[in-house]
Amino acid sequence: MFISWICIIVFLLLLFFPTLSVQGASQGLLLWYQIVVPTLAPFMLVTQLIQAAGGIRMLVKPVYPVLHRLYHTSVNGCYILLCGLLCGYPVGARLCADFRQRGQISPLEADCLLAICNHPSPMFLLGYVKGQLAAPGILLPMLTAVYFPVPILYYMAVRLYSRHTPQEAPHENPDAARKETSIAGSISFGDMILSTSETLVIIGGTLMLFSILIVWIQQIGLLNGHLRALITGFLEITTGVREICQTFPVHKRLMPTVLAVTFGGCSGILQTYGVIKNAGLSVRHYIGWKILHAGLSAAIFTCMANYVL
């Protein structure tokens, strides 16, 4: 009932404020076209090509001993974790859902990986976020704050989910490579394009809706600039980081930015829900892990900033 009323209110706002709605939709689609598609689509397509070519084991071979010892994940789990850390939202979640649906990772491993495999990419942090912050010496504290909580969250997820699902001993099935090859061979290039396009459309639609909401919020005169910037960062990270950095002075923009990029924004949560909803994975648990991740990152960043900056 609550969600129904929200949808009705949004519908009425679209009718009564058409100019603002068109402005927000244009901004969201422009952000999607200029930033998201060029940076995300190649990664999504190449990750599927690697799967289709049976190259997962070759790719993760250099890092598998370290990741397996640290996280006790399978080869496929290491691949999901590696792509999730390097490619950005929501590639990790999409891979986690796809491998879970195909039975290439266990339900327990899928639940644990979802807690840690969906992050902003290093390219996004080192390029866009660093450029917006314009603060010397911020790179090391920011990267540490974002990625250091990952193993902590994983061990917490294993302890939590192992109570409900028996933890499988990490071992390699002799027929795993053969099964992986047979599944990969059944994926055509057309299927890869359709899958990539589907995810991009989900992201684009989500960005459009949240951009409209952000434009509406910016027109509310009762909210001061700082509060509007914080709300924008809570809703969507790309626009939110820009608004935070343009509104706050240098020494006060750092913490809100770290919180925004680690939480991922409501837009990122909705995008993640769109790619995992048919895989038996819980978006509520995902939200809880992102909130916990943001809290840990804030604590780590505070400690490091006191010594480094």
Side-chain angles (χ1 to χ4, degrees):
M1 181 65 71
F2 178 71
I3 300 297
S4 300
W5 277 110
I6 291 179
C7 294
I8 292 172
I9 292 172
V10 171
F11 176 72
L12 293 175
L13 289 172
L14 288 172
L15 290 177
F16 287 110
F17 301 99
T19 303
L20 291 178
S21 301
V22 171
Q23 179 186 348
S26 300
Q27 291 178 1
L29 291 176
L30 193 62
L31 175 66
W32 174 76
Y33 175 74
Q34 291 184 334
I35 297 179
V36 175
V37 174
T39 57
L40 194 58
F43 283 106
M44 296 179 64
L45 190 56
V46 168
T47 54
Q48 294 185 77
L49 286 171
I50 292 172
Q51 297 173 56
I56 292 178
R57 293 174 180 273
M58 295 174 60
L59 178 66
V60 304
K61 186 176 181 180
V63 296
Y64 176 74
V66 176
L67 293 180
H68 178 69
R69 181 178 296 273
L70 186 60
Y71 298 105
H72 301 289
T73 54
S74 62
V75 171
N76 289 331
C78 290
Y79 175 71
I80 294 169
L81 180 58
L82 184 66
C83 292
L85 291 173
L86 297 179
C87 299
Y89 299 109
V91 174
R94 181 60 188 257
L95 290 174
C96 194
D98 289 344
F99 278 68
R100 171 70 181 88
Q101 286 180 298
R102 294 197 296 260
Q104 292 179 279
I105 57 175
S106 67
L108 175 61
E109 189 172 16
D111 288 332
C112 295
L113 284 173
L114 184 62
I116 63 168
C117 73
N118 225 26
H119 302 282
S121 67
M123 183 172 59
F124 177 77
L125 295 175
L126 297 176
Y128 180 79
V129 176
K130 181 185 176 183
Q132 293 292 325
L133 286 172
I138 193 60
L139 185 59
L140 179 61
M142 180 178 65
L143 293 178
T144 305
V146 172
Y147 295 116
F148 188 79
V150 170
I152 301 174
L153 293 171
Y154 186 79
Y155 293 134
M156 293 175 66
V158 169
R159 290 181 63 87
L160 174 65
Y161 294 123
S162 296
R163 299 175 183 177
H164 307 286
T165 305
Q167 186 172 6
E168 300 176 6
H171 64 280
E172 290 300 322
N173 189 338
D175 297 327
R178 189 184 310 167
K179 179 181 178 182
E180 177 183 312
T181 304
S182 65
I183 293 175
S186 65
I187 304 175
S188 67
F189 185 73
D191 293 334
M192 300 178 208
I193 296 293
L194 287 175
S195 177
T196 301
S197 300
E198 179 187 5
T199 303
L200 289 174
V201 169
I202 291 173
I203 296 172
T206 305
L207 283 176
M208 180 182 65
L209 290 175
F210 277 91
S211 295
I212 294 173
L213 181 58
I214 289 170
V215 169
W216 287 343
I217 290 174
Q218 290 174 344
Q219 299 301 315
I220 300 177
L222 298 177
L223 300 177
N224 62 46
H226 290 175
L227 184 57
R228 285 199 300 268
L230 293 176
I231 293 175
T232 302
F234 173 74
L235 294 175
E236 203 279 315
I237 59 173
T238 306
T239 306
V241 168
R242 184 186 65 207
E243 291 296 322
I244 289 171
C245 293
Q246 290 179 353
T247 304
F248 286 87
V250 175
H251 64 285
K252 291 185 177 180
R253 69 178 60 158
L254 304 178
M255 181 61 72
T257 300
V258 169
L259 290 172
V261 298
T262 50
F263 177 66
C266 296
S267 176
I269 290 173
L270 196 58
Q271 293 168 21
T272 301
Y273 174 69
V275 300
I276 69 171
K277 62 181 181 180
N278 297 322
L281 298 169
S282 172
V283 71
R284 294 182 180 180
H285 289 191
Y286 172 77
I287 294 172
W289 292 119
K290 297 309 292 183
I291 293 174
L292 183 58
H293 189 175
L296 290 174
S297 295
I300 294 171
F301 183 79
T302 300
C303 294
M304 290 201 66
N306 290 335
Y307 290 97
V308 176
L309 297 181

